[in-house]
Amino acid sequence: MDGVEMEPFKKRGFASDNNAGVHPRIMEAIAQANQGHVVAYGDDPYTEAAIRKFKETFGEETEVFFVYNGTGANVLSLQSLTHSFQAIICAETAHINEDECGAPEKFTGCKLLTISTKNGKITIEQIRPHLHALGNEHHAQPKVISITQATELGTVYLPDEITAITRFAHQNGLFVHLDGARICNAAVALNVGLREATRDLGVDVLSFGGTKNGVMFGEAVIFFNPDLARDFKFIRKQGTQLASKMRFIAVQFEALLTDHLWRRNAEHANTMATLLAREVRDITQVEIVQSVDANAIFAKIPQEQIQLLQQEYFFYVWDEEQSIVRWMTSFDTTEEDIMGFVSLLKKVLG
Amino acid sequence: MDGVEMEPFKKRGFASDNNAGVHPRIMEAIAQANQGHVVAYGDDPYTEAAIRKFKETFGEETEVFFVYNGTGANVLSLQSLTHSFQAIICAETAHINEDECGAPEKFTGCKLLTISTKNGKITIEQIRPHLHALGNEHHAQPKVISITQATELGTVYLPDEITAITRFAHQNGLFVHLDGARICNAAVALNVGLREATRDLGVDVLSFGGTKNGVMFGEAVIFFNPDLARDFKFIRKQGTQLASKMRFIAVQFEALLTDHLWRRNAEHANTMATLLAREVRDITQVEIVQSVDANAIFAKIPQEQIQLLQQEYFFYVWDEEQSIVRWMTSFDTTEEDIMGFVSLLKKVLG
Amino acid sequence: MDGVEMEPFKKRGFASDNNAGVHPRIMEAIAQANQGHVVAYGDDPYTEAAIRKFKETFGEETEVFFVYNGTGANVLSLQSLTHSFQAIICAETAHINEDECGAPEKFTGCKLLTISTKNGKITIEQIRPHLHALGNEHHAQPKVISITQATELGTVYLPDEITAITRFAHQNGLFVHLDGARICNAAVALNVGLREATRDLGVDVLSFGGTKNGVMFGEAVIFFNPDLARDFKFIRKQGTQLASKMRFIAVQFEALLTDHLWRRNAEHANTMATLLAREVRDITQVEIVQSVDANAIFAKIPQEQIQLLQQEYFFYVWDEEQSIVRWMTSFDTTEEDIMGFVSLLKKVLG
Amino acid sequence: MDGVEMEPFKKRGFASDNNAGVHPRIMEAIAQANQGHVVAYGDDPYTEAAIRKFKETFGEETEVFFVYNGTGANVLSLQSLTHSFQAIICAETAHINEDECGAPEKFTGCKLLTISTKNGKITIEQIRPHLHALGNEHHAQPKVISITQATELGTVYLPDEITAITRFAHQNGLFVHLDGARICNAAVALNVGLREATRDLGVDVLSFGGTKNGVMFGEAVIFFNPDLARDFKFIRKQGTQLASKMRFIAVQFEALLTDHLWRRNAEHANTMATLLAREVRDITQVEIVQSVDANAIFAKIPQEQIQLLQQEYFFYVWDEEQSIVRWMTSFDTTEEDIMGFVSLLKKVLG
């Protein structure tokens, strides 16, 4: 890498769990898969093996499709559940609403009906009024409720909260999509398995996240109702999300689902967030504004010190007006990172 | 990888250049990039370095965007050049027409105006009649000519053939997109550099292929006119083709453009195709039906022997009715592969 | 209409059956409906009455939706039958392919698979090869066969020709859409009723044309399988084709279906075309190049005389290179029009 | 109209200004245009004359396109101003957000960024936060501000309120679209001309409403910046909104703009609303909840009496939970209608 200024690489931070690299076990799996020829586009034994792991995890009737990234997983999931005249209900803070540059609208043609929340979680009381439109051709027809677990605000739905939504959805002819970019962190937080955290709660389709949990690239779309998956291979291909050298996505997930690597990575990230939260509670100028359920901390800190802090540890400002920042931990966050950051915080804000 | 039946991996074949794995130098670059934290989505020094390499190759005013795959590169390129009421002119055999499950239509809303060809190459005589529609609101308005180099039939446009098209396009207010999934093979075939093979011939936007030339995943969209690139970062994000851990695409291209790896890989693949073509010319039951310009051979062989051959070396039937098959070579094809296959062909067909 | 140069209005012509005005009985029906208040968007007794007439004509289980125009009827029909990854098979000359500025692609996201024909009619031999793609995710999946009756070339499918297509379609899981912009002319040509010309032949969805047969504005989308119509009211609204003052479309169709006005109008137009065809057969410089089955004549005439003819009777050149012109007759074409034009033809070309 | 139950037609109501029929002068213009042949799709002297009237009204550099209806006018206007990765800012109550079944999303691919309002009017203070997203590829890029005048809540923006928005928009590189389904009522309310109410305030594109002001069908899209109109004829055709017998839309607008018919119709409707508002102010159980600026009254009335009232005069419930109803007046509302309704209200609610 001649000519590359290497200095910046050294910098650690709490900007995002996708600023981390790739877990060594996953990198190793990739390297091992790099031998000989296999059929492209997923008709290969690596992909078969990875799908088998998913079926062991979520149940036999599960249908699994690998895609490149979270936005792809989300919008193609939604496309498989909707017609253009329908609507998708979600939190205002949902990644599909806030962070995908309008991809859901472009891919599905649907309207997003958003719900303002305090903690990123929506309830059936908030969803219900949107169903008044059902049957009235002048209004986009609600068809999917999309929730994020863990949420974009670092909170985690309790199982009962999800069950209430899926039951309500199904009673009204709607589907439930779960954006699981951080589903592993949520399962760890709830101390349940992946199946207990998703399928068993009535979720119809899951965007299963890998990238934020140690994977290089790749997510999985998982259908718990095989009927819904019938056309997905076409939707994925037309949606530009079919990888030709599929084996290199598949083996990453095979590794992630082996020896509970998914759990160990997520557990570590969550633990680091808990540690950071505990350590900063003493600092009076730091006010934690969301429940620290998974691997994110949202904190209100004095605006004038933010830049100074960012010079040593990179992180994002979430809400400029309220001076709220976000600190994400990841599988590779170290106690040293936490302690270094805490002592910086104390020095700057103390 | 317990539980995976490893036998099939041993099988070599000529099915596609994306059935090969990843070139060792590229795998090494990936491994080296896996350290510490860098900002996601491309705002990192690896990506900066890779873009610098592209600018050295194609010229300073070039704008470069990494995406996941060839379909993504093609359809987002086309989207950046069109409005939905316009049309894209291409060969009937073009990947964008035949092999992307209608992705160009979905992403752009445009009509594809296809031209029937003998060898995958289109000419201005064939393009011209489509321009009668210009200005008439009842017809989709031609706006882009998309050509593939090397073509899907393994042939290569001569520089003058491309210049004729780009000049004609620009005189009529159209853009030229080049699907360069195998542009490296074409440049090698023409014995010119990458810039001479594209920008210098008047091409506006290039899908620069990596996956078929030793990359794990990733292609680049290259704009030779920066004005056309103005909105591309939004188009890429909305199009689900923005990688979060971008560094792992970037370093692959950085490696590909270092020490002429792109050329050496393509040269090898082309040489292997030439070798195979030479060796089978003696076999009377094998009729090569397209000029072997790059790394593909299209041959007519007796239908009844095809399955027998496929059992030992995997390849695809291109045209069942005419019994034409396709043999692709790649950066990792060996002389031993060729000779083994040739002797099988002689045994079975001789 | 002060300030309007009235001269041009006097000019008669054979340009198109939508250059004619509105049949007096239909104009009268419109005027009569203009009293008092009725609920907008079709929930009114006029619309109910018109739908009842359609059900009497086509059978009780028919579902009927009024839209503004033929392009609207076609693209929304197609949208109701497809997903974006699917494909629509049609003749190259089909209105949906040639004359709607790419509307089908924009509305459906689908690819159009076109068939080159001599007379505007397609056959299952031509359709069959397109079905090779079924099941292969790299290719758009054929789902609809769209035929036009009478065709854009003035020819009429025989009932058996349509039955062959609908049977083939249904055997292969495809639907058949019929663009019936001139279905009345076709039914008259075949000497059958409207139901015999459509539903009884196995057609799934019909764009029933009014505008070219004496209506001011409005077409009807008719589903012969009510299941397919389930979502159409939403598709129509989102597709901008739901008229607020619906009664003024409905009464036109009510009048068209009363006392066989549809038949009388079409019969007259067809008769005039037959007359014109008979009269010009003597003129050696006029070569009729398509069978005159309905109300259109396609003729090859000397290029240098076309403009001179157009100065007195307006019509369109269909194919400039081959010097083929199109003469359409309509419900208001008179024998005087025909004879005047014939004597001009004889004078200019004789 | 044999077989039609005529009783319901007699019923008068306040449901919507498009439950009314067609103004006699407009019906007369339609009848007069029904003679002879004219070229279809707008290349005729009637359309030319109508466009000339618009240019006299709004200024020479205006570009005018007729379409079928308001939804068509709105979504095609928006499509002409946007790319799919952009966003449209509007009030939550905007017709484009609430009443078009998601048509804007389908046609443009854009996200709608909605603003909650008390009276249907938005302000730059509410718009400004949405511009934080500008330049950030993860967020849909605001490009158009769409306002409705008169609003869907019957209120009217003051000229200064609109100027503030258009100035702010242009300073930030955004366009302003005005949904003028009831722009005539607003101009009358403000006592200004149509140009003063739109173009002179900095509006870029106007959906000029006809249907709610005495027209049978048809709206006009008016561009005050001809550059923005360059592609609109293609957008209109692909958008299924190009009428073949265009003359019958054109003459309606020609009549509407002749002898101030637009003003007289709107003035009458507004006056009737004012009268109704004045008459019900005494009734204690009727609480008018929005300023009665144009031809709509929003009133809170006791829920249990609503059905009884609707049996004699049809109108819609706007907000079931709050028991708010909407009463619209139109060009054909009579003082008798008002007085009859008021006395019913007094009888039922008094």
Side-chain angles (χ1 to χ4, degrees), chain D residues 5 43 72 84-85 143 181 194-195 218 257 261 279 284 292 302 332 335:
Chain D
E5 170 57 62
D43 194 10
S84 65
F85 56 82
K143 190 64 190 175
L194 289 172
R195 177 175 173 151
L257 293 183
L261 181 59
E279 293 291 329
T284 52
V292 181
D332 74 343
E335 286 200 31

Side-chain angles (χ1 to χ4, degrees), chain A residues 1-6 8-14 16-24 27 29-41 44-46 49 52-53 68-69 71-72 75 79 95 99-108 210-218 233-235 237-245 247-248 251-252 254 258 314 316 330-333 337, chain B residues 1-6 8-14 16-24 27 29-41 44-46 49 52-53 68-69 71-72 75 79 95 99-108 210-218 233-235 237-245 247-248 251-252 254 258 314 316 330-333 337:
Chain A
M1 297 287 293
D2 60 318
V4 180
E5 171 55 63
M6 300 303 286
F9 297 90
K10 299 268 165 58
K11 196 168 165 182
R12 306 285 298 179
F14 302 92
S16 175
D17 29 14
N18 55 31
N19 287 16
V22 183
H23 190 277
M27 191 60 94
I30 289 173
Q32 279 178 7
N34 191 29
Q35 36 179 318
H37 288 179
V38 304
V39 175
Y41 300 113
D44 67 85
Y46 296 107
R52 199 181 316 141
K53 282 274 183 191
Y68 284 114
N69 64 358
T71 299
V75 302
Q79 190 186 331
H95 197 269
D99 300 300
E100 300 182 354
C101 197
E105 284 89 346
K106 175 163 179 61
F107 277 76
T108 67
T211 315
K212 292 183 198 301
N213 200 25
V215 158
M216 184 190 290
F217 70 110
K233 69 174 185 168
F234 305 110
I235 289 173
K237 174 62 195 175
Q238 190 184 37
T240 77
Q241 288 276 324
L242 176 64
S244 57
K245 295 183 177 172
R247 54 172 145 169
F248 296 107
V251 293
Q252 297 184 68
E254 218 269 341
T258 297
F314 192 53
Y316 288 108
S330 69
F331 78 91
D332 74 343
T333 302
D337 291 335
Chain B
M1 296 287 295
D2 60 318
V4 180
E5 171 55 63
M6 299 302 286
F9 298 89
K10 298 270 165 56
K11 195 167 164 184
R12 306 285 296 180
F14 301 92
S16 175
D17 28 15
N18 55 31
N19 286 16
V22 183
H23 190 276
M27 191 59 96
I30 289 173
Q32 278 178 7
N34 191 29
Q35 37 180 317
H37 289 179
V38 304
V39 176
Y41 300 113
D44 68 83
Y46 296 107
R52 200 183 315 142
K53 282 274 183 190
Y68 284 114
N69 64 357
T71 299
V75 302
Q79 190 186 331
H95 198 269
D99 301 300
E100 300 182 352
C101 197
E105 284 89 347
K106 175 163 179 61
F107 278 74
T108 67
T211 314
K212 292 182 197 302
N213 200 25
V215 158
M216 184 190 290
F217 69 111
K233 70 174 185 169
F234 304 110
I235 289 173
K237 175 62 194 175
Q238 191 185 35
T240 77
Q241 288 277 325
L242 177 64
S244 57
K245 295 182 177 173
R247 54 172 144 168
F248 296 106
V251 293
Q252 297 184 69
E254 218 269 342
T258 298
F314 192 53
Y316 287 109
S330 71
F331 79 91
D332 74 343
T333 303
D337 291 334

Side-chain angles (χ1 to χ4, degrees), chain B residues 116-230:
Chain B
S116 172
T117 75
K118 285 193 174 151
N119 58 7
K121 302 200 277 183
I122 59 176
T123 66
I124 60 172
E125 285 68 36
Q126 295 168 305
I127 296 166
R128 201 189 307 270
H130 285 299
L131 302 199
H132 287 170
L134 282 176
N136 180 336
E137 77 212 78
H138 297 273
H139 304 305
Q141 300 291 296
K143 189 63 190 176
V144 178
I145 302 169
S146 181
I147 58 176
T148 311
Q149 175 80 319
T151 74
E152 292 79 2
L153 295 179
T155 57
V156 170
Y157 283 92
L158 296 177
D160 281 359
E161 292 172 329
I162 292 182
T163 313
I165 290 171
T166 59
R167 201 171 290 151
F168 177 80
H170 297 153
Q171 280 164 356
N172 288 283
L174 278 72
F175 297 116
V176 176
H177 166 254
L178 193 149
D179 177 351
R182 296 186 185 98
I183 187 61
C184 295
N185 301 281
V188 163
L190 296 169
N191 197 24
V192 299
L194 289 171
R195 177 175 172 150
E196 288 71 33
T198 55
R199 181 179 189 171
D200 290 354
L201 305 179
V203 168
D204 295 295
V205 184
L206 169 66
S207 296
F208 182 85
T211 314
K212 292 182 197 302
N213 200 25
V215 158
M216 184 190 290
F217 69 111
E219 313 275 305
V221 174
I222 306 183
F223 291 89
F224 298 127
N225 174 348
D227 287 350
L228 297 174
R230 208 189 41 211

Side-chain angles (χ1 to χ4, degrees), chain A residues 10-11 63 83 135 189 191 196 260 265-266 312:
Chain A
K10 299 268 165 58
K11 196 168 165 182
E63 293 289 336
H83 295 283
N191 196 25
E196 288 71 33
H260 303 290
N265 281 355
E312 295 202 33

Side-chain angles (χ1 to χ4, degrees), chain D residues 59-296:
Chain D
E60 267 310 310
E61 325 76 81
T62 305
E63 293 290 336
V64 181
F65 297 85
F66 298 114
V67 295
Y68 283 114
N69 63 358
T71 298
N74 285 340
V75 301
L76 299 186
S77 294
L78 295 173
Q79 191 187 329
S80 73
L81 299 175
T82 54
H83 295 283
S84 65
F85 56 82
Q86 294 174 328
I88 298 153
I89 299 171
C90 63
E92 216 169 79
T93 47
H95 197 270
I96 59 168
N97 185 51
E98 275 292 326
D99 300 300
E100 299 183 353
C101 197
E105 284 89 346
K106 176 164 178 61
F107 277 75
T108 67
C110 293
K111 181 182 282 300
L112 266 59
L113 299 169
T114 60
I115 292 170
S116 172
T117 75
K118 286 194 172 150
N119 57 8
K121 303 200 278 184
I122 59 175
T123 66
I124 60 172
E125 285 68 36
Q126 296 168 304
I127 295 166
R128 201 189 308 269
H130 285 299
L131 303 200
H132 287 169
L134 282 176
N136 180 336
E137 76 213 81
H138 297 273
H139 303 305
Q141 301 290 297
K143 190 64 190 175
V144 178
I145 301 168
S146 180
I147 57 177
T148 311
Q149 176 80 318
T151 74
E152 292 80 1
L153 295 179
T155 58
V156 170
Y157 283 93
L158 296 177
D160 281 357
E161 293 172 328
I162 292 182
T163 312
I165 290 172
T166 58
R167 202 171 291 152
F168 177 80
H170 297 152
Q171 280 164 355
N172 289 282
L174 278 72
F175 297 115
V176 176
H177 165 254
L178 194 149
D179 177 351
R182 295 186 184 97
I183 187 61
C184 295
N185 301 280
V188 163
L190 295 170
N191 198 24
V192 299
L194 289 172
R195 177 175 173 151
E196 288 72 32
T198 55
R199 181 179 190 171
D200 290 355
L201 304 178
V203 169
D204 295 294
V205 183
L206 168 66
S207 295
F208 182 84
T211 315
K212 292 182 197 301
N213 200 25
V215 159
M216 184 189 291
F217 70 111
E219 312 276 303
V221 174
I222 307 183
F223 291 90
F224 299 127
N225 174 349
D227 287 349
L228 297 174
R230 208 189 41 209
D231 294 329
F232 195 77
K233 69 174 185 169
F234 304 110
I235 290 173
R236 176 175 61 175
K237 174 61 195 177
Q238 190 184 36
T240 76
Q241 288 277 326
L242 177 64
S244 57
K245 296 182 176 173
M246 183 70 90
R247 54 172 144 169
F248 295 108
I249 297 184
V251 294
Q252 297 185 68
F253 282 103
E254 218 268 342
L256 197 68
L257 293 183
T258 298
D259 297 339
H260 304 290
L261 181 59
W262 68 267
R263 179 185 293 281
R264 285 180 290 132
N265 281 355
E267 207 156 49
H268 179 79
N270 287 9
T271 303
M272 289 299 103
T274 308
L275 177 61
L276 177 54
R278 201 179 60 210
E279 293 291 329
V280 300
R281 279 195 216 273
D282 305 337
I283 310 173
T284 52
Q285 298 218 57
V286 175
E287 179 196 351
I288 294 179
V289 296
Q290 292 287 348
S291 176
V292 181
D293 296 347
N295 65 324

